């Protein structure tokens, strides 16, 4: 039973790491905007918002090293810079401060209003201090993350979500019969494509590559000693997380579809209305609890991932100092405001996301090959990097390259990189097959194995 119980616990942890505030408020807006096309939109959303991150988790765990292992397959410099950029952008410089401020706006402020206290700068400061103190306490022992999150925080989060779903779907609930909402704009014109795009834009693949090292550490602590054992157990854990995510996304989308009143694009207002309609002021508290748990688990995952990566990249320092410094930086940014950081991180994310997805897909292809592919790593990654740079430049205001590419009729700044990169990848794969790299037995991998062991034991012993 332990063979199944441990990966399931890790899967519960992985679900909670993925399920942040954005994952909470986006599906209700999708449900309210989709009207009669909700099944098609939701199908597309699950494909790119759930299955793609699942594949990313599996891919990074097959490397045994997380995103660090994937990036080094492209080249040493890329293998150093790309993981650093990913961890910083989704961790202490943006992702973590953002979940702290979002949890304040969506949870603490409404609770203060409910008890008649006017919020001020002091409220955000105290909230942030308490939020990061709790985050650090949970994350200080990376070997216990699966138990603390998978066995305690995740069941609490799922319990509160179940209450929200129950009061929304009760026959006597004000919105129980549905609202008769009509599909809006692109949701009506191209429902499946819109769902695919919305799931893609969650950018959870970046989070999947970061959380990979947390999953690897958890499974190593549970006795999975080889890369193959880790990969198999990670696949099971990923499936558990994916099933839960798909079920919760479906429930939240149905809440949005059945809740009258608020603007269809405002997921927060839809959830607040649904909670208050069923439970009154208690509903406000339940919604606040859901938000706090979702943000806390994500913050724990992101900070522990950064500390694990940093303690591996800079061997002179250990896990705990990196965790504390990252928490302090996040605390400062959460209180100073994120507008400037967002202006820098948003273009960086547009640059990194195509590269990350390309690495994930190439790694899954490489897993089928008994040899070591070369061109299929470097060529499509270079293409994705170049086209991601076009999107990033467009985001900062220089739209000339993007406008030139738009004359092709297939380019846009979000997904325009996909077809060109796929074409380059197929050509690169053909090159590797022609060179005999698909069928040539793999060369000695002792260096990679040793690096895997250093990374995993380096983190788990701290």
């Amino acid at each position: 039973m332990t063979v199944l119980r441990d990966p399931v616990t890790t899967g519960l942890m992985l679900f909670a790491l993925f399920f942040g505030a954005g994952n909470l408020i986006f599906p209700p807006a999708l449900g309210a905007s989709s009207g009669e096309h909700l099944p098609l939109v939701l199908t597309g959303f699950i494909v790119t918002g759930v299955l793609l991150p699942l594949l990313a988790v599996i891919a990074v765990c097959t490397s045994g090293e997380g995103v660090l292992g994937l990036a080094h397959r492209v080249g040493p410099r890329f293998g150093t810079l790309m993981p650093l950029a990913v961890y910083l952008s989704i961790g202490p410089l943006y992702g973590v401060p953002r979940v702290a401020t979002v949890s304040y706006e969506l949870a603490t402020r409404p609770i203060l209003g409910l008890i008649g206290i006017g919020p001020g700068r002091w409220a955000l400061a105290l909230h942030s201090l308490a939020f990061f103190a709790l985050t650090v306490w949970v994350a200080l022992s990376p070997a216990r993350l699966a138990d603390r999150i998978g066995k305690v925080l995740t069941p609490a989060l799922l319990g509160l979500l179940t209450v929200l779903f129950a009061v929304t779907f009760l026959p006597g609930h004000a919105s129980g019969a549905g609202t008769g909402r009509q599909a809006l704009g692109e949701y009506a014109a191209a429902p499946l494509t819109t769902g695919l795009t919305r799931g893609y834009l969650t950018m959870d693949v970046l989070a999947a590559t970061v959380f990979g090292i947390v999953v690897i550490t958890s499974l190593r602590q549970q006795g999975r000693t080889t890369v193959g054992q880790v990969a198999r157990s990670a696949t099971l854990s990923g499936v558990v997380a994916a099933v839960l995510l798909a079920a919760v996304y479906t429930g939240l989308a149905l809440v949005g579809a059945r809740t009258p009143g608020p603007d269809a694009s405002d997921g927060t207002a839809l959830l607040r209305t649904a909670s208050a309609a069923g439970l009154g002021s208690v509903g406000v508290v339940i919604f606040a609890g859901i938000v706090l748990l979702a943000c806390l688990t994500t913050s724990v995952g992101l900070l522990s991932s950064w500390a694990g990566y940093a303690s591996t990249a800079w061997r002179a320092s250990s896990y705990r100092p990196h965790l504390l410094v990252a928490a302090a930086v996040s605390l400062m940014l959460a209180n100073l405001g994120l507008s400037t950081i967002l202006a820098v991180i948003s273009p960086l994310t547009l640059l990194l996301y195509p590269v990350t997805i390309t690495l994930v897909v190439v790694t899954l292809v490489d897993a089928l090959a008994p040899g070591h592919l070369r061109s299929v790593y470097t060529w499509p990654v270079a293409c994705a990097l170049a086209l991601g740079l076009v999107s990033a430049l467009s985001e900062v205001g220089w739209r000339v390259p993007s406008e030139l590419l738009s004359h092709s009729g297939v380019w846009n700044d979000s997904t325009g990189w996909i077809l060109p990169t796929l074409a380059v990848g197929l050509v690169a794969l053909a090159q590797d097959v022609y060179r005999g790299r698909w069928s040539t037995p793999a060369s000695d991998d002792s260096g990679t194995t040793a690096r895997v062991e250093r990374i995993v034991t380096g983190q788990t012993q701290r």
Side-chain angles (χ1 to χ4, degrees):
M1 291 299 294
T2 302
V3 173
L4 290 177
R5 184 180 67 247
D6 290 343
V8 168
T9 300
T10 302
L12 292 172
M13 174 191 71
L14 187 58
F15 160 79
L17 298 184
F18 271 120
F19 192 73
N23 305 76
L24 172 66
I25 63 180
F26 192 77
L30 180 145
S33 302
S34 301
E36 66 277 14
H37 296 305
L38 178 58
L40 273 178
V41 174
L42 192 56
T43 297
F45 182 80
I46 289 173
V47 167
T48 52
V50 176
L51 295 183
L52 192 57
L54 167 62
L55 292 177
V57 169
I58 295 172
V60 298
C61 289
T62 60
S63 78
E65 307 170 82
V67 68
L68 192 64
L70 302 191
H72 270 287
R73 296 179 182 182
V74 178
R77 290 184 180 178
F78 183 86
T80 299
L81 294 177
M82 186 264 188
L84 177 62
V86 169
Y87 276 105
L88 284 175
S89 64
I90 202 172
L93 291 189
Y94 172 62
V96 179
R98 181 177 180 273
V99 296
T101 56
V102 166
S103 64
Y104 169 75
E105 292 293 337
L106 301 187
T108 300
R109 280 191 69 169
I111 293 297
L112 291 176
L114 192 65
I115 60 179
I117 298 177
R121 293 291 298 179
W122 65 268
L124 175 59
L126 290 179
H127 165 89
S128 301
L129 189 61
F131 182 87
F132 285 114
L134 189 54
T135 295
V136 168
W137 179 77
V138 176
L140 269 177
S141 301
R144 300 180 62 186
L145 282 184
D147 286 339
R148 288 179 173 177
I149 297 179
K151 294 181 179 180
V152 179
L153 297 181
T154 301
L157 175 58
L158 290 173
L160 292 177
L161 286 168
T162 300
V163 172
L164 174 62
F165 294 157
V167 299
T168 303
F169 301 139
L170 283 175
H173 187 260
S175 60
T179 65
R181 290 183 183 272
Q182 298 298 311
L184 304 175
E186 56 190 343
Y187 290 92
L192 181 60
T193 301
T194 301
L196 289 168
T197 303
R198 293 297 181 271
Y200 164 83
L201 292 176
T202 63
M203 297 194 172
D204 275 346
V205 172
L206 280 181
T209 60
V210 168
F211 293 148
I213 195 65
V214 179
V215 174
I216 292 171
T217 300
S218 173
L219 294 174
R220 291 276 182 173
Q221 287 291 329
Q222 295 164 9
R224 277 69 180 177
T225 57
T226 68
V227 174
Q229 290 174 335
V230 168
R232 287 189 291 272
S233 295
T235 299
L236 177 57
S237 299
V239 168
V240 171
V243 169
L244 286 174
L245 284 171
V248 170
Y249 287 160
T250 300
L252 289 171
L254 291 174
V255 169
R258 295 164 65 92
T259 301
D263 181 357
S265 64
D266 191 344
T268 302
L270 287 164
L271 287 177
R272 280 178 178 164
T273 300
S275 300
L279 295 170
S281 58
V282 175
V284 177
V285 176
I286 288 177
F287 178 62
I290 293 171
V291 171
L292 286 172
L293 283 173
C295 290
L296 175 64
T297 53
T298 300
S299 177
V300 169
L302 293 175
L303 279 184
S304 61
S305 297
W306 161 258
Y309 160 78
S311 60
T312 300
W314 297 283
R315 300 289 295 174
S317 53
S318 63
Y319 174 90
R320 180 170 296 189
H322 285 294
L323 176 68
L324 295 175
V325 170
V329 171
S330 299
L331 174 64
M332 179 185 67
L333 292 176
N335 282 278
L336 291 179
L338 296 176
S339 57
T340 302
I341 295 297
L342 181 59
V344 175
I345 294 299
S346 181
L348 181 60
T349 303
L350 287 174
L351 174 65
L352 292 173
Y353 201 56
V355 175
T356 305
I357 292 181
T358 302
L359 270 177
V360 166
V361 173
V362 168
T363 300
L364 294 174
V365 172
D366 195 18
L368 303 175
H372 285 168
L373 303 181
R374 296 289 184 272
S375 300
V376 81
Y377 276 102
T378 55
W379 295 7
V381 166
C383 180
L385 185 62
L387 295 179
L389 181 60
V390 172
S391 299
L393 291 174
S394 179
E395 180 73 8
V396 299
W398 191 41
R399 295 192 49 81
V400 174
S402 179
E403 290 172 354
L404 288 174
L405 289 176
S406 67
H407 292 309
S408 66
V410 295
W411 172 261
N412 66 73
D413 289 332
S414 297
T415 58
W417 64 273
I418 295 177
L419 288 179
T421 303
L422 178 60
V424 171
L426 292 175
V427 173
L429 182 59
Q431 167 76 357
D432 279 331
V433 171
Y434 175 76
R435 294 284 186 181
R437 291 167 183 155
W438 182 279
S439 56
T440 302
S443 61
D444 176 54
D445 201 28
S446 58
T448 298
T449 303
R451 190 165 64 246
V452 171
E453 295 299 328
R454 287 198 304 270
I455 287 174
V456 175
T457 58
Q459 180 177 356
T460 57
Q461 288 175 356
R462 292 181 172 90

